[in-house]
Amino acid sequence: MALNKVVANVEEACAGIQSGMTLMLGGFGLCGIPENSIAQLVKMGVNNLTCISNNAGVDDFGLGLLLQGRQIKKMISSYVGENDEFERQMLSGELEVDLIPQGSLAERCRAGGAGIPAFFTPAGYGTEVGEGKEVREFNGKPHILETALTADYAIVKAWKGDTAGNLIFKATARNFNPMMAMAGKITIAEVEELVPVGELDPNQIHTPGIFVQRIFQGERYEKRIEQRTVRPRA
Amino acid sequence: MLDKNGIAQRIAQELEDGYYVNLGIGIPTLVANYIPQGVDVEFQSENGILGMGPFPLEGDEDADLINAGKQTITAMLGAVYFDSATSFAMIRGQHVQLTVLGAMEVSQNGDIANWKIPGRMVKGMGGAMDLVASAENIIVAMMHTNKRGESKLLADCSLPLTGVGCVKKVVTNLATIEITDGAFHLLERAPGVTVDEIVAATAGKLVVPDEVPEMKL
């Protein structure tokens, strides 16, 4: 019998998230971000959060909404430039920022979920990212030791999910979501379409439900586009 | 002298049939417009697509389908999507044959600086450090000098590094330059540019052969 991970709504899904916790939030830019849960975190007013997310949203969307309310104490990201409020808080010292090479960020989340405490990577060797980190040579090339990341709650967004928590992502909205789902002590998945078990083809599932503790169907996805680039129709 | 499109056009000549290619933001993106005839390549974008196509037709844009510059794109026939860890496995594991990226500075031993200017807002390195640390074949696309007219090809980078000893080739508005044995080696002049102009614009050690052909575009 498949386990049932369904919670009624975003309030139930985010219950237990407290000030001072470490959260992982999926998405790349505004693509594949858990919109409903972010709105709920704003409503809950939790603060002093450490947020692990590739980006920090824009001023009025994504994690920018949490920055506006000064709910974030520290960001762990690879690229954060799209946000005036972020810049202001960073320069004034209100916000701590840890910048990590994107591949190392992805792998540190994956490692966190996979029971691997640390790994060696060539990325960042010889740069300030490598400062103070253990260096070892493999195959004649220097590598630095990077440690795994985990979170109290990981919050991910998928396209389709079933009641057992199995997830399928759409196109490039997958990005960091699968690794973060693995690395959360509690993982919350919000999905555009929640279906009964058996409706998703087991061959096509990207994230097995074992990594997901709570799943709910999100509402009113805005899916804002950050850089709308098009070719004119002839 | 080349403009940005000219630099992209010259770099496109480096594409070989069957290559998987990662193009950075800026001039590198333009390389996709000049794929030589008869050459099949697939573009990888590190946010999670292989087989990236051109921008969508107006009205067809999909918020779930973007490139690493967060621009709306399309997917070619045979494209595939994957997560960020898999994407950087392709990059770190050297499954991508060519990486083209921009730079603020390159040094004569192949160091590259392109992510941070001290005292200015730091946006982050994104995937650049992973890309330069592992790619076998990295070409830098950039202007030879900065806005103040100072050389960007230096003995040592003055800005914080993105990677060490990794750049093999640089294509600028003035020249094609190879980096080996701790020096820049002049391979080609851009159309209408003299060797003297290139020497004057290069601060690092530049090896100039007797004969320097003009680029063919």
PDB file of all heavy atoms in Angstrom, chain B residues 70-82:
ATOM      1  N   LYS B  70      18.509  33.078 -17.802  1.00  0.00           N
ATOM      2  CA  LYS B  70      17.096  33.247 -17.436  1.00  0.00           C
ATOM      3  C   LYS B  70      16.250  33.756 -18.581  1.00  0.00           C
ATOM      4  O   LYS B  70      15.160  34.302 -18.389  1.00  0.00           O
ATOM      5  CB  LYS B  70      16.943  34.149 -16.207  1.00  0.00           C
ATOM      6  CG  LYS B  70      17.423  33.456 -14.944  1.00  0.00           C
ATOM      7  CD  LYS B  70      18.181  34.386 -14.042  1.00  0.00           C
ATOM      8  CE  LYS B  70      18.901  33.603 -12.971  1.00  0.00           C
ATOM      9  NZ  LYS B  70      20.016  34.343 -12.404  1.00  0.00           N
ATOM     10  N   GLN B  71      16.756  33.616 -19.810  1.00  0.00           N
ATOM     11  CA  GLN B  71      15.997  34.011 -21.004  1.00  0.00           C
ATOM     12  C   GLN B  71      15.120  32.854 -21.464  1.00  0.00           C
ATOM     13  O   GLN B  71      15.526  31.685 -21.372  1.00  0.00           O
ATOM     14  CB  GLN B  71      16.961  34.366 -22.141  1.00  0.00           C
ATOM     15  CG  GLN B  71      17.876  35.531 -21.837  1.00  0.00           C
ATOM     16  CD  GLN B  71      18.950  35.685 -22.890  1.00  0.00           C
ATOM     17  OE1 GLN B  71      19.615  34.720 -23.255  1.00  0.00           O
ATOM     18  NE2 GLN B  71      19.116  36.894 -23.390  1.00  0.00           N
ATOM     19  N   THR B  72      13.934  33.189 -22.001  1.00  0.00           N
ATOM     20  CA  THR B  72      13.082  32.144 -22.563  1.00  0.00           C
ATOM     21  C   THR B  72      13.747  31.583 -23.821  1.00  0.00           C
ATOM     22  O   THR B  72      14.307  32.332 -24.626  1.00  0.00           O
ATOM     23  CB  THR B  72      11.688  32.692 -22.909  1.00  0.00           C
ATOM     24  OG1 THR B  72      11.833  33.937 -23.603  1.00  0.00           O
ATOM     25  CG2 THR B  72      10.867  32.934 -21.657  1.00  0.00           C
ATOM     26  N   ILE B  73      13.696  30.266 -23.971  1.00  0.00           N
ATOM     27  CA  ILE B  73      14.327  29.584 -25.106  1.00  0.00           C
ATOM     28  C   ILE B  73      13.370  28.528 -25.658  1.00  0.00           C
ATOM     29  O   ILE B  73      12.253  28.380 -25.171  1.00  0.00           O
ATOM     30  CB  ILE B  73      15.649  28.896 -24.676  1.00  0.00           C
ATOM     31  CG1 ILE B  73      15.411  27.998 -23.457  1.00  0.00           C
ATOM     32  CG2 ILE B  73      16.722  29.930 -24.378  1.00  0.00           C
ATOM     33  CD1 ILE B  73      16.467  26.963 -23.222  1.00  0.00           C
ATOM     34  N   THR B  74      13.855  27.783 -26.644  1.00  0.00           N
ATOM     35  CA  THR B  74      13.122  26.617 -27.133  1.00  0.00           C
ATOM     36  C   THR B  74      14.032  25.400 -27.019  1.00  0.00           C
ATOM     37  O   THR B  74      15.234  25.539 -26.763  1.00  0.00           O
ATOM     38  CB  THR B  74      12.704  26.789 -28.606  1.00  0.00           C
ATOM     39  OG1 THR B  74      13.867  27.095 -29.379  1.00  0.00           O
ATOM     40  CG2 THR B  74      11.663  27.888 -28.760  1.00  0.00           C
ATOM     41  N   ALA B  75      13.454  24.236 -27.215  1.00  0.00           N
ATOM     42  CA  ALA B  75      14.217  22.992 -27.192  1.00  0.00           C
ATOM     43  C   ALA B  75      14.234  22.396 -28.599  1.00  0.00           C
ATOM     44  O   ALA B  75      13.212  22.373 -29.271  1.00  0.00           O
ATOM     45  CB  ALA B  75      13.588  22.005 -26.217  1.00  0.00           C
ATOM     46  N   MET B  76      15.396  21.929 -29.037  1.00  0.00           N
ATOM     47  CA  MET B  76      15.511  21.290 -30.345  1.00  0.00           C
ATOM     48  C   MET B  76      14.966  19.860 -30.264  1.00  0.00           C
ATOM     49  O   MET B  76      14.830  19.289 -29.172  1.00  0.00           O
ATOM     50  CB  MET B  76      16.990  21.221 -30.775  1.00  0.00           C
ATOM     51  CG  MET B  76      17.701  22.556 -30.810  1.00  0.00           C
ATOM     52  SD  MET B  76      17.121  23.642 -32.106  1.00  0.00           S
ATOM     53  CE  MET B  76      17.987  22.939 -33.513  1.00  0.00           C
ATOM     54  N   LEU B  77      14.714  19.281 -31.410  1.00  0.00           N
ATOM     55  CA  LEU B  77      14.330  17.870 -31.474  1.00  0.00           C
ATOM     56  C   LEU B  77      15.441  17.045 -30.813  1.00  0.00           C
ATOM     57  O   LEU B  77      16.616  17.257 -31.125  1.00  0.00           O
ATOM     58  CB  LEU B  77      14.167  17.477 -32.947  1.00  0.00           C
ATOM     59  CG  LEU B  77      13.317  16.245 -33.244  1.00  0.00           C
ATOM     60  CD1 LEU B  77      11.860  16.528 -32.874  1.00  0.00           C
ATOM     61  CD2 LEU B  77      13.431  15.882 -34.717  1.00  0.00           C
ATOM     62  N   GLY B  78      15.074  16.153 -29.918  1.00  0.00           N
ATOM     63  CA  GLY B  78      16.090  15.337 -29.245  1.00  0.00           C
ATOM     64  C   GLY B  78      16.663  15.978 -28.002  1.00  0.00           C
ATOM     65  O   GLY B  78      17.590  15.435 -27.400  1.00  0.00           O
ATOM     66  N   ALA B  79      16.128  17.133 -27.619  1.00  0.00           N
ATOM     67  CA  ALA B  79      16.615  17.810 -26.414  1.00  0.00           C
ATOM     68  C   ALA B  79      16.298  16.984 -25.173  1.00  0.00           C
ATOM     69  O   ALA B  79      15.427  16.105 -25.194  1.00  0.00           O
ATOM     70  CB  ALA B  79      15.972  19.190 -26.286  1.00  0.00           C
ATOM     71  N   VAL B  80      17.025  17.263 -24.100  1.00  0.00           N
ATOM     72  CA  VAL B  80      16.778  16.561 -22.844  1.00  0.00           C
ATOM     73  C   VAL B  80      16.944  17.542 -21.681  1.00  0.00           C
ATOM     74  O   VAL B  80      17.749  18.464 -21.747  1.00  0.00           O
ATOM     75  CB  VAL B  80      17.717  15.339 -22.705  1.00  0.00           C
ATOM     76  CG1 VAL B  80      19.171  15.755 -22.790  1.00  0.00           C
ATOM     77  CG2 VAL B  80      17.467  14.576 -21.416  1.00  0.00           C
ATOM     78  N   TYR B  81      16.129  17.355 -20.658  1.00  0.00           N
ATOM     79  CA  TYR B  81      16.202  18.177 -19.446  1.00  0.00           C
ATOM     80  C   TYR B  81      16.753  17.340 -18.307  1.00  0.00           C
ATOM     81  O   TYR B  81      16.546  16.121 -18.275  1.00  0.00           O
ATOM     82  CB  TYR B  81      14.804  18.680 -19.050  1.00  0.00           C
ATOM     83  CG  TYR B  81      14.077  19.389 -20.155  1.00  0.00           C
ATOM     84  CD1 TYR B  81      12.906  18.869 -20.690  1.00  0.00           C
ATOM     85  CD2 TYR B  81      14.580  20.579 -20.673  1.00  0.00           C
ATOM     86  CE1 TYR B  81      12.236  19.517 -21.711  1.00  0.00           C
ATOM     87  CE2 TYR B  81      13.917  21.240 -21.696  1.00  0.00           C
ATOM     88  CZ  TYR B  81      12.744  20.702 -22.213  1.00  0.00           C
ATOM     89  OH  TYR B  81      12.088  21.341 -23.227  1.00  0.00           O
ATOM     90  N   PHE B  82      17.436  17.992 -17.382  1.00  0.00           N
ATOM     91  CA  PHE B  82      18.010  17.260 -16.249  1.00  0.00           C
ATOM     92  C   PHE B  82      18.186  18.224 -15.092  1.00  0.00           C
ATOM     93  O   PHE B  82      18.057  19.434 -15.246  1.00  0.00           O
ATOM     94  CB  PHE B  82      19.352  16.632 -16.651  1.00  0.00           C
ATOM     95  CG  PHE B  82      20.137  17.463 -17.631  1.00  0.00           C
ATOM     96  CD1 PHE B  82      20.930  18.496 -17.174  1.00  0.00           C
ATOM     97  CD2 PHE B  82      20.034  17.257 -19.000  1.00  0.00           C
ATOM     98  CE1 PHE B  82      21.639  19.292 -18.055  1.00  0.00           C
ATOM     99  CE2 PHE B  82      20.732  18.053 -19.899  1.00  0.00           C
ATOM    100  CZ  PHE B  82      21.535  19.080 -19.423  1.00  0.00           C
TER     101      PHE B  82
END
